[in-house]
Every structure is written in structure tokens, then in C-alpha cells.
Amino acid sequence: MASKSISTRLNALPYIESRKEQLRYNLREFPWWLPAMAVIALVTYSQIFTQSSYNQAFNFIKIGLTMTITTTVWAFATALGIGLVTGLGRISSNVVIKNLATLYVEFIRGIPMLVLIFFIAFVGVPAVVGGFNQLVITFAELGAPVPAQFLSGMQSRSVPMNLRAIIALSITYGAFLAEIFRAGIQSIGRGQMEAARSQGMSYWQAMRYVILPQAVRNVLPALGNDFVAMLKDTSLVSVLAVRDITQVAKLYAAQSFRYPEAYTTLTILYLTMTVVLSMLVKLVERRLGRNERR
Amino acid sequence: MNDAEPIIVIKNLHKHFGDVEALNGVDLEIQRGQVVVIVGPSGSGKSTLLRCINHLEIETAGEIWVDGQRMTQDQRQLNAMRSEIGMVFQLFNLYPHLTALENITLAQRVVRKLPAAEAEEIAMKQLTRVGVAEKAHCYPAQLSGGQQQRVAIARALAMNPKIMLFDEPTSALDPEMIQEVLDVMLDLAREGITMVVVTHEMDFARAAADVAVFMDEGRIIEQGLPEVIFDHPNEERTQLFLSKILHK
């Protein structure tokens, strides 16, 4: 990409006269934070593996990892779908669709995530379940053949909290990802759509084969960042008593009174996951940069 | 279809962009196999007229008939009509995420539903025709401007269009690459393809055009044989414009 090559050129080494100055430059530019972080992680992990109180806390808390990771993956995958559809809706020429999509995005963006999680889990899901039951009753009264197990009515509590957590996170992140997709699509020049349409492709064919492949490639770094952010935000679902690592750590601290052990372990677990993920995102980014076909 | 009938008929075409009147009552008939060159100062509505022909711009008023069918806003009809009208853009508009070959096969597979092998065969034939067959597997970024524009021409030709529209195809090119694109266009003109070309290349216009059209302020000021229009224009505005571009 043109802009990328310009920025690399701007960041290129300035002209350096002497060796001493070169050394000074290198020392100043070295990413010192990286070894510092590695040392902190190393010290913490050695503590976890050598001290039995930390070891106990770690073994207790790691049970929550599966929940944290599956919640992140499922919620993000769902949010991707919601985001893509909403993002396309935001640029739709259909006034109704466009406004519905915008309403959803603006609504979600104006509410704290924690509040949304409460609202969706304790108001949204029961309301949908209630609505479904009402629908079944109406259908049955109209004489439609309704399977017997539906007639007894669905219970809100049969929707488990971890599913509600995934629904809440998906709806929240769907709005964020919609904006990313919209920006990605709008970053592709008008000429691309015109070229595709001039060849007889329909709007959706042009979207599918010409615009989206380029748009998605452009927004992959942003999507990667949001995936990392989502991983961190799953800690909020502990308020629904979903047993992710945060909830499990809370439980451990409360029952053992070993607060430093519980929360240090929790912190280092999140940090490890996010740093590793960020590195993966950068790797993917670099690989894409190498294959950049512009 | 009757071959004696004009392939493009434009009747009293108006196009407004807000308060700006880009086209102000254009009437034009183009015969099968004709090469029509449209010239005129910038902002005269040349490109808008061209883009109205395949409905990339929707006219405010008036009618466009292509090969006996009126261009409407019915998407199904529009897509079918557009697939018969090739268009070459000033900025090439190749698909940057696809190779030259894939750029050409995409619409054939998606719109024409051709199998991959057949589409590739056609694509290679067209790439050979415009002289960039050896670049089939390069991405647009790896090609020079002239090569990109020739691939874009091949992409349009691969649909076997009834009409080719060229919107200032050499305006974005470095000077040394203009001729290679014009040569391809000259070849097409000799093969009898119906072409409508918006250009500032007067030498090409003289060599290839059957009809020259001069536009200004959204109207056709005069049209006729290129040697007449360029050497002995009737209208003062045409003379003024030509004197500006020929003695720069």
C-alpha cells in the first residue's frame, strides 16, 4: 500500500555520523519494555511453579480458561456475523434498513458494556423467551400444529448464563465490528464498484467478489485488536456468575482469603493471553503486508 | 436486430447534479461499427454522457436506447445490458486483489457463468490481443500504467461486448505509455468494434474516428467527420477550444 511505504520511509534511520551516535540511537530506540515485561512474567510464573500457595491458586483458576476462551471465540464469531450484516446495512440505500442499523449501533455505543450485559441477560433474554411463548400460544389458539413440548412454555432459566453472556457480548461487539466493516467497505474507491457493475455484476456480486475481499483485508488489523479487546471484556461476564477465570479467581480469593495469589495469577493469565494474541495479530498483519498486492 | 438501425440512440438527455446541469438536452445516434470520439473542455459533460450510456449515472430526463432496448432502472435488465457494454476507465479500476487473468475471468464466471477453463481460455486470448499475455499472473500493482490499462481493455473485451466505452483512457498515463494504449484502441477501431471514446488525443481521434462530437456546457455543439470538425469547425466555441489544445 502506498501509504505504508511512505510511513516506513519516514521511520527509516536518520543519517547518523559517528559510531557513538549510532550506539546512542540504538539504545534509545530499543524496546526496553519488552524484556521488562518478560522479566515480570518470568518472576510471576516462577513464583506460581515454586510456591505451593500460588500453585494452588493457579490450578484452581486455570479451570476457568476453557470458559474464557470458548466465550471469546463464540461471541466474536457471532459478532463478526452481526457486524458484517449491520455494516452492510449502514451503507444500504434502503432508508429503513440503514436507519435500523444505525439505531442499533448508536444504541449500543451509548451504553456501558457492564450495564448492557445485565440488561441483555436479565431483561432481553427473558423478554424474548416470553415473546416466543406468547407466539406459541397464539399459534396454538389459531389451530396451528404446535409440537407438544413447546406448549408447556419455555423457561427463561433454561437459557444458561454462559449462553446469555455470549449473546450479550455478541450484541455489544456486533455494533463495534459493524463500524469497522463499514469503514473498510467505504475505504474502497468508488471505481471498484463501478467497474464491477459496468461488467454486469449485481450489487451483491460486486460486494462479494470485489469490495469485501479488499475491505476485509484492510480491516484485519482492527478486527484483531477487537478480538484481543473481547478477550479482556469477557471478564465482565463474571457478574453473571459465569465461571470464567475472573469469576473463578474471585471465588478462590473469597474462600481462601489468599487475595494476592488469586489476583496476581489472574492478572498474569490475562496478560499472557493478550500478549500472545497481539503478537499473532502482528504476525498476520506482517504476512499480509508482504503479500500486499497494490 | 436490424443492422441499419443505430446501436445507440440518445434522446434529449438531461442530467443534473444538484444545481449543476451536467447534460442539457443531448441528442445523439451512433451506428453499428462506428468509432465516435467526444471532445470538449473539462466540465462539458463528456464523461457524464458516456456514463449515462451504461447507466452508471441515471439521467434526470430523456431516453437512452441501446441495441433497440431502452435503458431502465430495472436491475435485472440493467445488469444484462451492462454485460454487453464494455467500459474502460480513466483510472483503470482493475481489481487489485486479483491477478490480471483473474481480473478478466471474474465477470465471465460470475455474470456469464462460464466454467473456469473456458473463461481462462478467453482471458488469455484477450491478453494476447492487447499484448500483455506474459503478465497474466501478475497483480495490477506489478504492472505499469499502460499495461494496467491494456489489461482493463482486455477485461472489457472478454465479455464480447457490442459497444466499448472509453472514458479518457490515457489521461492518467505517463506520456511514454500513452501510445501503447492508443495502438490497442486503433486496432479495435480497425476491427469494426463500435466505440465511444472521450479523449484529448487528437491524433488518435483523426486516425480512428468516424464521427467527432464536440461538447460544451452539457450540449453537443457540433458533430461530423473528424477532419471537418478539427480543421474547419463551424462554431466559434469549437475553434476556441481547438486553438487551446492544439497550441499548448
Side-chain angles (χ1 to χ4, degrees):
Chain A
M1 205 187 294
S3 63
K4 202 168 221 167
S5 69
I6 288 166
S7 69
T8 10
R9 227 174 290 143
L10 286 175
N11 290 335
L13 283 176
Y15 180 66
I16 288 167
E17 296 151 45
S18 67
R19 252 174 138 180
K20 203 172 144 195
E21 235 177 284
Q22 171 80 59
L23 184 68
R24 196 177 295 161
Y25 180 84
N26 287 349
L27 287 177
R28 201 174 56 226
E29 292 300 306
F30 187 81
W32 295 105
W33 62 272
L34 205 65
M37 204 166 186
V39 167
I40 292 169
L42 228 81
V43 170
T44 316
Y45 274 112
S46 70
Q47 210 162 15
I48 286 172
F49 288 115
T50 53
Q51 292 191 25
S52 68
S53 65
Y54 274 89
N55 204 343
Q56 268 177 21
F58 180 79
N59 284 332
F60 193 93
I61 293 169
K62 76 177 183 197
I63 298 165
L65 274 174
T66 322
M67 182 56 82
T68 293
I69 291 168
T70 51
T71 305
T72 309
V73 170
W74 279 110
F76 196 76
T78 316
L80 277 178
I82 296 175
L84 181 57
V85 171
T86 312
L88 287 166
R90 289 267 279 152
I91 54 169
S92 169
S93 55
N94 182 315
V95 179
V96 177
I97 292 173
K98 185 175 164 175
N99 278 287
L100 281 176
T102 310
L103 178 71
Y104 160 60
V105 170
E106 294 299 333
F107 213 88
I108 299 297
R109 287 206 301 193
I111 303 169
M113 204 176 299
L114 184 60
V115 176
L116 260 173
I117 287 171
F118 279 129
F119 184 83
I120 290 169
F122 297 121
V123 183
V125 169
V128 170
V129 169
F132 176 78
N133 288 339
Q134 195 56 53
L135 211 68
V136 168
I137 291 166
T138 316
F139 269 117
E141 277 170 359
L142 289 172
V146 175
Q149 69 263 33
F150 285 159
L151 273 178
S152 54
M154 229 166 97
Q155 298 287 316
S156 283
R157 62 169 179 274
S158 67
V159 183
M161 278 301 168
N162 56 0
L163 183 58
R164 295 189 205 193
I166 289 174
I167 293 171
L169 283 174
S170 307
I171 291 176
T172 314
Y173 267 77
F176 302 156
L177 298 191
E179 289 301 271
I180 293 180
F181 279 117
R182 180 184 60 78
I185 292 167
Q186 287 178 332
S187 74
I188 306 301
R190 215 170 56 129
Q192 291 290 310
M193 179 57 91
E194 287 182 351
R197 296 305 305 271
S198 81
Q199 290 195 285
M201 284 187 223
S202 69
Y203 176 83
W204 292 109
Q205 285 172 334
M207 237 344 144
R208 158 83 179 76
Y209 295 104
V210 176
I211 308 295
L212 280 179
Q214 299 179 59
V216 168
R217 172 185 285 262
N218 284 356
V219 300
L220 269 181
L223 293 180
N225 285 340
D226 267 26
F227 186 73
V228 176
M230 165 85 91
L231 177 78
K232 292 190 288 180
D233 282 338
T234 54
S235 63
L236 291 172
V237 304
S238 61
V239 298
L240 303 181
V242 173
R243 289 177 165 244
D244 74 319
I245 49 175
T246 305
Q247 175 67 6
V248 180
K250 230 161 67 181
L251 289 177
Y252 184 78
Q255 76 180 42
S256 66
F257 298 106
R258 286 175 175 158
Y259 287 91
E261 286 87 342
Y263 289 119
T264 310
T265 307
L266 180 63
T267 307
I268 203 72
L269 275 175
Y270 274 118
L271 196 62
T272 310
M273 288 192 286
T274 51
V275 167
V276 169
L277 267 179
S278 299
M279 269 156 45
L280 279 177
V281 169
K282 279 222 180 80
L283 208 75
V284 171
E285 236 174 279
R286 196 169 305 167
R287 175 158 295 186
L288 280 175
R290 200 168 53 215
N291 294 345
E292 196 57 69
R293 290 146 177 183
R294 277 172 201 234
Chain B
M1 248 2 102
N2 183 358
D3 275 4
E5 252 176 44
I7 191 158
I8 301 176
V9 179
I10 297 168
K11 290 181 192 164
N12 192 27
L13 198 68
H14 288 259
K15 173 68 184 176
H16 301 182
F17 294 105
D19 290 341
V20 182
E21 295 195 12
L23 293 178
N24 210 344
V26 171
D27 292 281
L28 185 64
E29 288 192 358
I30 295 171
Q31 306 297 326
R32 258 161 239 278
Q34 261 185 348
V35 176
V36 177
V37 167
I38 305 175
V39 295
S42 66
S44 60
K46 313 173 297 254
S47 287
T48 307
L49 175 61
L50 199 69
R51 291 161 59 84
C52 278
I53 293 177
N54 68 350
H55 259 205
L56 282 185
E57 305 289 356
I58 308 295
E59 68 273 4
T60 311
E63 292 176 15
I64 296 165
W65 295 74
V66 175
D67 204 16
Q69 278 193 62
R70 171 134 190 230
M71 295 294 278
T72 64
Q73 291 202 55
D74 175 66
Q75 291 295 311
R76 196 172 288 262
Q77 185 234 16
L78 201 54
N79 292 338
M81 301 277 284
R82 279 176 176 157
S83 73
E84 308 278 338
I85 305 173
M87 182 147 193
V88 176
F89 299 85
Q90 184 176 359
L91 297 172
F92 330 136
N93 295 354
L94 289 179
Y95 311 131
H97 60 302
L98 301 177
T99 63
L101 190 72
E102 290 164 345
N103 259 279
I104 303 176
T105 54
L106 180 62
Q108 300 189 64
R109 298 181 60 184
V110 173
V111 179
R112 294 261 193 268
K113 315 280 185 212
L114 290 185
E118 200 176 324
E120 273 174 31
E121 196 184 316
I122 295 171
M124 281 314 296
K125 207 183 291 171
Q126 296 302 339
L127 281 173
T128 310
R129 186 176 182 184
V130 299
V132 282
E134 78 280 5
K135 300 288 185 189
H137 297 288
C138 291
Y139 288 94
Q142 298 166 308
L143 303 176
S144 73
Q147 290 168 335
Q148 288 191 49
Q149 192 59 298
R150 284 188 283 158
V151 172
I153 293 173
R155 177 173 72 177
L157 287 172
M159 302 294 279
N160 197 17
K162 293 173 182 156
I163 303 161
M164 285 285 284
L165 308 176
F166 293 84
D167 189 4
E168 303 203 28
T170 56
S171 298
L173 292 174
D174 289 335
E176 75 271 21
M177 293 169 185
I178 290 176
Q179 200 52 49
E180 67 189 55
V181 172
L182 291 181
D183 285 343
V184 169
M185 291 169 61
L186 275 170
D187 282 344
L188 297 179
R190 283 192 207 105
E191 287 172 31
I193 294 177
T194 309
M195 292 165 61
V196 187
V197 185
V198 172
T199 186
H200 296 294
E201 296 293 333
M202 288 300 148
D203 291 337
F204 168 81
R206 279 172 201 277
D210 300 306
V211 179
V213 174
F214 176 73
M215 284 184 73
D216 195 12
E217 292 176 347
R219 286 201 181 88
I220 291 178
I221 305 300
E222 59 182 317
Q223 56 177 306
L225 292 172
E227 45 270 36
V228 176
I229 300 290
F230 295 149
D231 298 332
H232 310 287
N234 282 322
E235 301 289 328
E236 201 179 323
R237 270 192 278 184
T238 318
Q239 288 164 12
L240 192 68
F241 170 73
L242 289 171
S243 69
K244 275 184 196 153
I245 66 161
L246 294 178
H247 306 289
K248 50 181 166 184

